[in-house]
Structure formats: C-alpha cells, structure tokens
Amino acid sequence: MPLTPHPRASDADLPRTAGGFELRRELGRGGMGVVYEARETASGRTVALKVLAAELRVSDEAFERFRREARLAASISDHHCVFVYGAHEVEGSPAIAMELCPGETLDQKLASKQTIPVQTAVRWTLEILTGLEAAHERGIVHRDVKPSNCFTTADGHAKIGDFGLSRTLESDIQLTQSGAFLGSPLYASPEQIRGREVDLRSDMYSCGATLYALLTGRAPHSGSNIGEVLARILSETPPAPRAIRADIPRELERVVMRSMDRDPKRRFQDYSSFREALQPFAAADVAPAGPIRRFVGYAIDFLAWKFATTFFALGAAWAGFNVFEADPERPWMLRSVTSAAALASVPWILSMLFEGWFGAGPGKWLMGQRVVAVDSLHPSFARAALRATVFYAPGVVIQCIAMLLELGQTTFSLLTDLGEIGIVLGLIVTMRRSNGYRAVHDFASGTRVIQKRSPFGASRQASPPPSAALEPAVGVPSTVGAYEIHGMVGSSRDGVVLAARDAHLDRSVWIHARRTTIGASDEARRALSRGGRLRWLDSLNSEGVHYEVFESPGGISLVHSKVSETRIHWPTAQRFLAALADELAATSNRGNVPVRFDVAQIWIDRMWNPRLLDFPIGAREASSANGVELLTEAARRMLLEDDDSTVKLPRDLPAHAEPVVARLLGHANPFVDLDDARRELATLGERPSVVTRAARAAQMTVGGGLPVLLAVLSVVAAFWILPLGGELIRVGAYVEELDAQSRVGDESPSPEAKLAPDQIKARQILISHMASNPFGQAALRRDLSEPHREIVRDAVARYPEPTGSDVAWAQGVSDRTQSGDDSRASNEVPRIARSLLTFMPLTVVLLWGFCGTVSAFLFDGGMTLMLCGIRVRSRRGMLASRWRCAWRCLISWVPFAIAYGVGAYFTNEGNPVTGWTVTGFTALVHAIAIAFSLWRPTAGLQDRIAGTTLIVR
C-alpha cells in the first residue's frame, strides 16, 4: 500500500536534510518524481535520489510502478546500467538511492546543438546495448529507452537508467488499462504504440532511434502534436540519416534503418547481431588494407571480371550477335578494334559500378575491404568511376594499339600481357605504409582502400560460469534487518560471507558478518563504484556482530571453480585478465604502502567479469602476492588445464597474443609492473581474437573455391561446346565429301559415293551455318587446308545466311545419309561428356591437394591461411610444425581423391550407374565436410583428426 502522505518541505528549500539524506540540488523532474543530488549521511557517499512525486503518493498504480522500478533496476548489476543502492522513505514518499552519473544525459547533449562525432555516437549506443542485454539476461524489457534516460559518466561512457516502465518478460501484471500506451512517443516502437506485447526488439528499435538522434541531432519522427507523431511512427519510414548529415557512412545508415524497421521480424533479432553490425563504426580511426590482403582482393576481382567478360562474349555469340567475331587473317584477335575496346571495358565498367555502389568488388568484399573517399570515408560513385578509369584505361589503349599493328600471335600476347603487368606495377609504386598504401589511382581519385570490417571478431557472450554452492549458515540468524539469510558463501579470515535476499528490493546480496569493526569499510570504500569491486550497500550491528552488505556478484571463486572443466575461450579470458589488471592497478596505486593480495580474493561474476573482493573467501592458508604475481596466477588458472602439464598455451590463443601470454605464464621474461601488463592486455583486446565463419569462408573461397569454380566452368563450357565439337566433326566430313566430289580420274568417288544435288546443297548449307558461328569459323580456319577453306568460302557464297528452316531441312537430308565420321561424332560426344563428369572432380582434388600440401609445408599451414591471417596450433598449445600442417592438409583431400578415383574407374569400365553413384555420394560427403568447417571454423573434420586448431595469425 502507499505510504501515508504528510507535509514536506518545499523543493526550493535546498539544501535540506530528510530521511537520512542531505538533499543538495535538484537534478531533474519526470512523470514519476523528482531526482536530487543527495549525500547519504550514514555512509557519506553521494547518490542520485529519486523521490516519488507528492501528487502520486496516493495512487496505488503509481506506487506499485515506482516500487517495481526499484526492484527491477536493483536486480541488474552491470557497469553500463545505473546501479541502485537501496530503497528508502523521504518525507513520506518512497525513494530510490541510485548511482550518481556526474555527466549529462544524452538528451542534454542533443539540446546543446553540438555535432556528436559518429564514432562517439556509436560507442555510446554499444554501451547502452550492453546494459540492455544485461537487463534482458534478468528477463527485463526496458520499454522506455530514450536520450533522457541515458547518462554519461565522467570518463565519457554511457549508462542506461530509469527502469520505471520496465516489465519482466514473464510478468502478467497489468499496471495500466488494456491497450494504453506507456513510453516516450518520439522513440517508441510501433508495436509498443499499438499496445501489443513487446520484447527486446522493441528496446532495440528505441536504441536505434536514439542513435538516429545522436547522429542527426533530431528524433526520427516529428509533428505538431502527439497524434501526428504516433501516426508517422506507425506508417512512415524516417528520413535517411545521410540526407540530414552527409558524413554518416552509408553502411551505418543501413544498420540504423534496419534497427528501426516497422516490422520486428526484419530488425536485428538479438543484441549480439546488432552490436556486431555497429562495432566497425566505433573505431576512432580506420585501418588501411595491407598490401598482401589487397593483392588477394585484387586477384579475386581480376578473375571475377575475366569470367564476366568471357560469359559476356559467349552470351553475345549465343544470341547471334557477331560483334565479337574473330579476324579471318589473325584469329587470335577480334576483327573490330571497337569490339575489342568494348570487351576490354567490361572490367572497367563492373569495377566502377561495384566500387561506386557497394564500395567493393567480390574480392575486396570477401577480404573485408572497402574503397572510400578520403574526406568522407564512404563510397563515392564519381570517385570510383575516376579510379576505375585511371586503372583500366591504359590497358584498353594498349590493346587497341596492338590490334592496329601488324603483329604475330606471340608478339601480340606479349605486348598486351606485359603491358597489363607494367601498368599495375607503375600504379603501385607509390604504396607506402606512411600513406596508407595508396596507389596512383587512389591518389588520382581521392580514394583509399580500408579494412572496413575484419573477417575476424570476438566470440559471442560466453555461457555464465557455474554458481558457487552455498553451505548451511550454522549459528547465524535467519534474518538480519531486512535481509533474509539463505546460506553461507564461505568463510573469511575474520568472519563469514552470507548469501541473503533484500526483502525491500527483492535482490540477492552478500553480507560479511564479523565480531569486530576493525577493517570495516571506510567512507572512500563505501563510495567506491568501480566495476571491478563489489558495491557497498549497507551496514548494521546486531547482537555484537557487525554486518556489511554488498551486492551479490553471482558466479564463483577463481580458486574453487575448477575453471578447466568449463571451456574458457580466449576472448573471455582476455577481457577478464585485462579488467583484472585495471582493477589491480587502481587498487595498488591508492597509497605509498605496497598492496598485497590473495588469490582467493579473485571472484568471477555471472558475466565473466573479475571482482576483487575486500576479503579472501575460503583461503586455507594465508598467501601474499603483489599485483603482477596475482595477475600471473589468475592467468595460469584461467588459461591452462591443470590436469595436463603438456599443454603450454591455450589452443585458441591467437599467434599475436602468444608473446604477452608467454610473459604472463612465465615462459618468457615476466612483466615488471602492472602498467606494462595493462597496456599489453588492452592492446590485445583491440585486435581480432577468433577465426569466424566469415574468415573461414574467405580462406576456403580463396584456397578451394577457385579450383572448384574452374572445374564447374570447364564442365559447363564443355557441355556448351561439345555439341559444337560434334558439329565441327560432321562439317569436316562434309568438306571432305565435297572435295571428293570435285575430283576426276582415279581419285573420283565410286558411283555409290556420288552425292545427289540435294545432298550437296544440304552439306553446303550446314557448312555455311557453321561458318556463321565465330567459334566454328575460327576452328574451320585453323584446322582446314587451303583447298578445303575454298570449299567453305564457296558454300558461304552460295548460301550466305541460311534460315532455320533451311538448316533443319539440311540436317534431315544429311541424317539419312550419315557417314562414318557422323557416326563417330555421335558416339564421341557422350563419351567425352562421361569422362568430364567423372575425371574433372578427381583432377581438381588431386591438383588442389598436391599444391595445398606443398603450400601447407612451406607456409606453416598454407598460403591461403597465411593470406587470410590464420595459423594452425596443435592440441598441446604450440604452433603446429610444418609436418603436422602438411598432414592436416593430406587428411582433407586424400580420402576424397581415392573416392573420386573409384567412381571414375567404374564409369570408364562400363558401369556408369555405380560410378556416378560413388561420385555423387563422395561429392555429398565433400559438401558436408565443407559445411562442417564453416559451422565450426576453428576445428573442421581434418582438424579433429590431426589434433589442430585454427587461430588468428
């Protein structure tokens, strides 16, 4: 029930003392109450005190909502959420004592009309998402995310607060009438406005709307009244952020607009995916694409454009356009310079379109690169067009000049090929680390190639650690003040640590009970709010025992957790150790007296964050270590498996992190001070940490995709050309028959071999039809002697453009008088087709496997792994040897080569059903193995057999 109202002092009468607080100044007012900056007289700490408005004290609904806000907010313990210290009564009204954020709200930042840097806006949004995710872990939906409920700290970070409208996902309590709207309309989701059930996607919509406001300086929707605003949210898409602020990256705009889609199913479906989409835009600076990775991206683009050019020419010929007809006298080049220039311009046009619209061609996209303007850092169509012109125009000019000269085939090929190589070498002479590896065409167009999004990234949030088992609290009262005792966490050196529940806020707490007040928390400790320490909440004395109340971190002690039984991946361990180093440094620097620690003071909370306790829990023997020694012991317990002394390093440890971890574990010169360790660990957090599916897909595409693509294209091209080959065989026989008809004397054909006039006409029509095909024309010129070429020219002169009906008639006449060569052609084509189907996969696997094995031995895993920034580590934690890398590669292809060989054997031995069945089954298993490698990118089937793990280089 609501508290009984009684008169209270005027809000203008500040400062004043009330309810155990000194109210210093008013911070703000809202629909629920007033927020003061206050000093808690008992503890001395400064807090933000939210007091229920006087006019709402008699409202059951307002009272219940206010109490629920306190409980929900108090159940969250994350440094990106405003922390609730306790519930109180101030001047007859309920009040909540919360962490005071000394900075401004984001709404105040927007009101100042200052442009917020893109990176800062994204970083604040990421921190808000982290806080919302922590709330969601407790089953809470905020329902009122907006700039005025987001606070900045003194060091420039953001926190989410004001859980006044929050609801648990399981709650059925209806605090308002059905269909009534709660929230701020400017940032509310459409489903929330409609009064429908909301989930985390609604909070993500509001978070995206808040980011929209931070980027553009205005809310997504506006109107002259609330009805107009609500109508626009329900029916209109907000203006594109780039239309308001041009320096917003285009990809970031797409992320923001997706988060605000009116259909929840088309938004991000979890916080991790939203956070990963925003992460690339949080960096203050962009990294240039390195020369090796840039070369790989260029090579893939080059092949992609070559294939596109080939298919363009084939498609034009198939459609009957003879614009790309070969020169009769020089069949190695096209007849028309204009046609050659047009064909050579295909890569030019494709590069311009892809890099102008998407910022990358297939190769650069696969390698995580983007071509952007130097000034705006986003793709520009005009600059991409200029860049492509500078890169491709010289090659087109060289090819056209070579066509105008009277050159032989070898000279022509040398001139064009060497010309392309010379152009590329000339363009890259300016590439230096100091200029971001910009080439001539980059400088000329005002562009740069950046590593926009690394194909590597940190893993998703790890599963919560195991919870500590409680012991019976023997000899302890069942309640202490408002706290219900549930059990004992463990013993300290001067007391016990109890697990309890705060009856007022319905949250778990720890209570340190001891017989003396010596060593009790001083005023500085009670005001401490660092994420690496437990927040002090309360203290009380009862029956000669001093009780100090702290927040409950959940989780388990590092000493007693047997962490090796719970697989801790490197990203989690790195984050834990880096945060622990920060806290140890902050604690060690509090005075001139060296601070000693006990490993039993390290606690792993429910979110894998380190908590440095004021007192060791469960320590059987007193131990003492300085900060560096304690960090080393924590690293050993986090990273190594105690039951296997052969493991020297974690199997998933990135290669670039090995020197730092080796120093931590004592395998190399140890760190001499915490500041050095902190810097090194923090640097590791900024670099890629695990091999992701995108990275593995890029590596497999570069390494295995190209041979497979070549095989597929060869088979497709062969099946497209095979009928043409059969026709060429037949036409060759027809030419020989016509040549025999013109001979006299002893060489004249026998009477039965004489052709009737309609048969001669039919053969001439088919010869002319074949000569009209550019490929057939080139083949006839290449394979026929001069007398036979004269027969072809005569046929073309007689029937220059045979129609479809003419060709059909001619084929009918010729089929009735099929020669031996015709029969041979009919039988040869299916045999070649069967051979292609059976031997092409085998050839690809053998070629790829042999080259890959040699590459794996020479380059510690393979050239493609090296180019994609991946290395191989053994199960003992050491970098894999050359022989193990070669063995790993052999495992990946030898079984398939044998299986494909068996299929080819049966097919060629006259048992095609068995052969094709074996080949098809092998291809299916091969595809499953590839899919498994993508599903488990660090440990595919070959890694499990070879005892290896893929790591970041």
Side-chain angles (χ1 to χ4, degrees):
M1 292 295 295
L3 300 173
T4 303
H6 61 81
R8 77 184 194 194
S10 169
D11 290 336
D13 186 19
L14 294 175
R16 67 175 185 272
T17 300
F21 293 90
E22 178 189 353
L23 309 183
R24 292 178 172 175
R25 64 188 180 97
E26 182 180 311
L27 296 176
R29 290 176 176 266
M32 292 294 295
V34 186
V35 182
Y36 298 97
E37 178 186 323
R39 180 179 181 274
E40 191 175 26
T41 54
S43 65
R45 69 183 167 197
T46 302
V47 299
L49 190 68
K50 184 172 184 177
V51 183
L52 183 66
E55 60 271 18
L56 298 177
R57 285 183 292 176
V58 296
S59 167
D60 290 342
E61 177 184 324
F63 179 83
E64 180 63 23
R65 191 187 305 166
F66 192 85
R67 185 176 68 174
R68 195 164 50 80
E69 174 187 0
R71 288 183 172 179
L72 291 178
S75 68
I76 307 169
S77 178
D78 186 87
H79 60 285
H80 290 303
C81 292
V82 175
F83 187 78
V84 171
Y85 292 117
H88 305 272
E89 179 185 347
V90 175
E91 297 176 339
S93 291
I96 305 171
M98 302 176 293
E99 173 188 3
L100 177 64
C101 297
E104 299 176 302
T105 66
L106 297 188
D107 193 47
Q108 291 171 321
K109 296 281 188 184
L110 292 172
S112 67
K113 301 299 182 181
Q114 295 182 358
T115 301
I116 299 173
V118 171
Q119 293 82 8
T120 302
V122 173
R123 178 170 56 81
W124 284 341
T125 305
L126 287 169
E127 291 169 343
I128 295 168
L129 284 172
T130 301
L132 292 174
E133 186 173 24
H136 185 256
E137 292 288 337
R138 310 294 294 175
I140 297 171
V141 179
H142 191 286
R143 304 205 326 160
D144 198 21
V145 180
K146 57 183 179 180
S148 60
N149 284 342
C150 300
F151 306 86
T152 58
T153 62
D155 55 355
H157 293 285
K159 293 175 178 280
I160 181 71
D162 198 347
F163 285 78
L165 300 183
S166 303
R167 287 184 59 187
T168 58
L169 296 177
E170 298 83 6
S171 175
D172 290 327
I173 299 176
Q174 297 295 330
L175 298 181
T176 61
Q177 296 179 353
S178 176
F181 167 67
L182 286 175
S184 303
L186 289 177
Y187 302 93
S189 66
E191 62 269 25
Q192 187 176 1
I193 292 174
R194 292 189 177 100
R196 298 176 181 173
E197 289 296 322
V198 298
D199 54 22
L200 77 167
R201 294 174 297 182
S202 177
D203 280 353
M204 284 193 285
Y205 176 99
S206 300
C207 194
T210 299
L211 175 58
Y212 183 105
L214 294 175
L215 293 172
T216 64
R218 47 167 283 187
H221 297 280
S222 60
S224 58
N225 55 67
I226 187 172
E228 184 178 353
V229 172
L230 297 180
R232 288 182 173 176
I233 292 176
L234 293 175
S235 61
E236 296 181 8
T237 300
R242 282 173 48 80
I244 304 172
R245 179 177 174 181
D247 67 330
I248 298 174
R250 194 181 305 275
E251 292 183 358
L252 176 59
E253 178 183 72
R254 285 196 285 266
V255 173
V256 174
M257 299 304 284
R258 178 183 173 185
S259 69
M260 297 172 56
D261 197 290
R262 292 195 299 273
D263 185 354
K265 296 179 181 178
R266 291 201 292 264
R267 299 176 202 155
F268 297 100
Q269 298 300 299
D270 54 66
Y271 287 111
S272 294
S273 58
F274 193 6
R275 190 167 53 245
E276 289 176 2
L278 287 175
Q279 193 67 51
F281 308 100
D285 194 13
V286 292
I292 295 179
R293 297 182 64 83
R294 189 165 171 182
F295 171 76
V296 175
Y298 164 75
I300 298 174
D301 281 342
F302 175 82
L303 292 174
W305 304 151
K306 285 294 185 183
F307 282 128
T309 302
T310 302
F311 278 107
F312 176 69
L314 292 175
W318 186 269
F321 297 100
N322 296 327
V323 293
F324 302 115
E325 187 175 302
D327 190 303
E329 303 300 328
R330 295 178 294 176
W332 55 85
M333 65 176 62
L334 298 181
R335 173 179 292 177
S336 167
V337 175
T338 304
S339 299
L343 201 60
S345 300
V346 172
W348 183 353
I349 296 172
L350 290 175
S351 179
M352 176 180 64
L353 294 177
F354 274 82
E355 293 182 0
W357 286 340
F358 309 111
K364 292 184 181 65
W365 177 84
L366 193 63
M367 301 305 294
Q369 301 165 12
R370 297 294 184 273
V371 178
V372 298
V374 173
D375 51 358
S376 64
L377 292 181
H378 59 76
S380 167
F381 190 86
R383 293 180 184 271
L386 179 57
R387 184 177 189 272
T389 300
V390 175
F391 189 89
Y392 288 103
V396 176
V397 172
I398 289 177
Q399 186 160 4
C400 292
I401 292 175
M403 289 187 64
L404 295 175
L405 300 176
E406 296 292 334
L407 302 175
Q409 182 175 2
T410 303
T411 307
F412 177 84
S413 299
L414 284 175
L415 179 60
T416 54
D417 294 342
L418 293 179
E420 288 188 6
I421 296 174
I423 291 170
V424 173
L425 293 177
L427 291 173
I428 66 175
V429 294
T430 60
M431 293 178 67
R432 302 284 189 280
R433 180 188 294 272
S434 58
N435 62 26
Y437 300 109
R438 296 179 69 193
V440 172
H441 51 296
D442 296 318
F443 281 109
S445 58
T447 59
R448 58 185 298 197
V449 182
I450 62 174
Q451 197 67 43
K452 185 65 176 180
R453 184 176 289 110
S454 172
F456 305 96
S459 61
R460 293 178 183 266
Q461 181 67 44
S463 300
S467 298
L470 298 180
E471 304 173 18
V474 180
V476 178
S478 59
T479 60
V480 176
Y483 305 101
E484 303 170 355
I485 307 300
H486 289 171
M488 186 175 71
V489 178
S491 60
S492 66
R493 291 174 185 160
D494 57 355
V496 294
V497 180
L498 305 172
R501 177 160 292 277
D502 184 340
H504 288 162
L505 292 176
D506 192 28
R507 71 174 172 188
S508 297
V509 297
W510 275 8
I511 301 178
H512 189 200
R514 50 190 174 183
R515 294 284 177 182
T516 176
T517 58
I518 299 176
S521 302
D522 57 17
E523 183 173 332
R525 174 64 186 91
R526 294 193 293 267
L528 190 63
S529 61
R530 289 200 304 267
R533 304 296 291 273
L534 297 184
R535 289 181 175 87
W536 184 91
L537 301 177
D538 197 4
S539 67
L540 60 158
N541 295 286
S542 176
E543 300 180 358
V545 180
H546 180 69
Y547 298 95
E548 283 196 291
V549 185
F550 297 86
E551 65 171 308
S552 172
I556 198 167
S557 170
L558 177 65
V559 174
H560 299 99
S561 63
K562 295 184 179 179
V563 176
S564 61
E565 297 180 3
T566 303
R567 185 76 174 91
I568 300 180
H569 298 288
W570 164 249
T572 301
Q574 182 277 327
R575 185 169 58 86
F576 182 94
L577 294 173
L580 178 61
D582 288 340
E583 182 54 45
L584 289 173
T587 304
S588 301
N589 293 335
R590 66 184 184 185
N592 296 325
V593 179
V595 180
R596 308 294 293 181
F597 302 95
D598 192 304
V599 69
Q601 289 179 250
I602 302 178
W603 193 271
I604 305 172
D605 74 7
R606 61 178 66 89
M607 300 297 290
W608 287 104
N609 297 311
R611 299 297 185 100
L612 188 63
L613 307 180
D614 296 1
F615 35 80
I617 295 181
R620 297 180 180 178
E621 298 181 1
S623 63
S624 179
N626 61 31
V628 174
E629 294 169 343
L630 188 67
L631 184 64
T632 297
E633 179 63 18
R636 187 184 67 79
R637 292 176 180 268
M638 289 285 291
L639 299 175
L640 297 183
E641 301 175 10
D642 294 335
D643 58 348
D644 189 354
S645 60
T646 63
V647 177
K648 302 299 183 183
L649 293 169
R651 281 176 290 177
D652 63 343
L653 180 69
H656 63 258
E658 186 168 318
V660 177
V661 174
R663 294 182 67 184
L664 276 178
L665 298 179
H667 302 331
N669 294 331
F671 291 105
V672 295
D673 57 58
L674 280 171
D675 288 336
D676 190 16
R678 287 176 60 203
R679 285 192 298 270
E680 295 291 344
L681 286 169
T683 300
L684 294 182
E686 299 171 357
R687 300 188 63 177
S689 54
V690 296
V691 178
T692 61
R693 291 171 184 168
R696 189 75 167 103
Q699 182 269 324
M700 293 174 68
T701 301
V702 174
L706 179 58
V708 172
L709 181 62
L710 287 174
V712 172
L713 291 176
S714 299
V715 172
V716 172
F719 274 90
W720 185 72
I721 295 174
L722 276 176
L724 181 62
E727 290 299 320
L728 282 172
I729 295 174
R730 294 188 183 93
V731 168
Y734 298 157
V735 171
E736 292 180 359
E737 287 181 331
L738 292 178
D739 181 46
Q741 298 299 311
S742 63
R743 294 175 185 173
V744 296
D746 295 337
E747 296 182 357
S748 61
S750 61
E752 60 271 13
K754 284 283 189 179
L755 297 178
D758 61 337
Q759 293 173 344
I760 294 175
K761 178 181 178 181
R763 281 155 173 73
Q764 289 177 331
I765 289 175
L766 293 176
I767 291 171
S768 178
H769 177 66
M770 176 58 65
S772 65
N773 185 295
F775 300 98
Q777 182 186 71
L780 290 174
R781 291 196 185 97
R782 182 183 65 246
D783 299 335
L784 299 182
S785 62
E786 183 57 36
H788 286 179
R789 291 180 189 174
E790 184 62 35
I791 294 174
V792 173
R793 286 193 286 268
D794 179 65
V796 172
R798 289 176 181 273
Y799 307 100
E801 295 182 359
T803 64
S805 59
D806 292 338
V807 173
W809 172 83
Q811 287 176 342
V813 172
S814 299
D815 289 342
R816 291 194 297 270
T817 58
Q818 189 178 46
S819 67
D821 287 335
D822 288 334
S823 178
R824 178 171 58 85
S826 301
N827 295 328
E828 189 72 10
V829 172
R831 190 186 67 78
I832 296 175
R834 287 196 303 270
S835 298
L836 283 172
L837 279 175
T838 54
F839 282 105
M840 188 59 72
L842 177 61
T843 303
V844 170
V845 171
L846 287 173
L847 180 62
W848 174 84
F850 176 78
C851 296
T853 303
V854 174
S855 176
F857 182 83
L858 295 177
F859 298 103
D860 295 328
M863 181 177 290
T864 59
L865 292 179
M866 181 187 71
L867 293 176
C868 293
I870 302 175
R871 289 203 69 173
V872 184
R873 195 180 289 281
S874 70
R875 63 164 53 96
R876 297 175 62 181
M878 307 305 293
L879 293 176
S881 65
R882 296 177 185 269
W883 290 106
R884 184 178 290 273
C885 291
W887 168 240
R888 172 185 176 274
C889 188
L890 284 172
I891 294 172
S892 67
W893 70 270
V894 169
F896 295 107
I898 295 174
Y900 283 128
V902 171
Y905 171 79
F906 280 114
T907 302
N908 279 344
E909 289 299 316
N911 194 350
V913 175
T914 302
W916 288 16
T917 301
V918 172
T919 301
F921 180 76
T922 304
L924 176 62
V925 175
H926 205 163
I928 293 174
I930 293 174
F932 185 84
S933 296
L934 292 175
W935 180 52
R936 300 295 300 271
T938 61
L941 293 177
Q942 68 271 35
D943 294 297
R944 294 177 178 273
I945 297 173
T948 56
T949 300
L950 297 184
I951 60 170
V952 177
R953 182 171 288 272

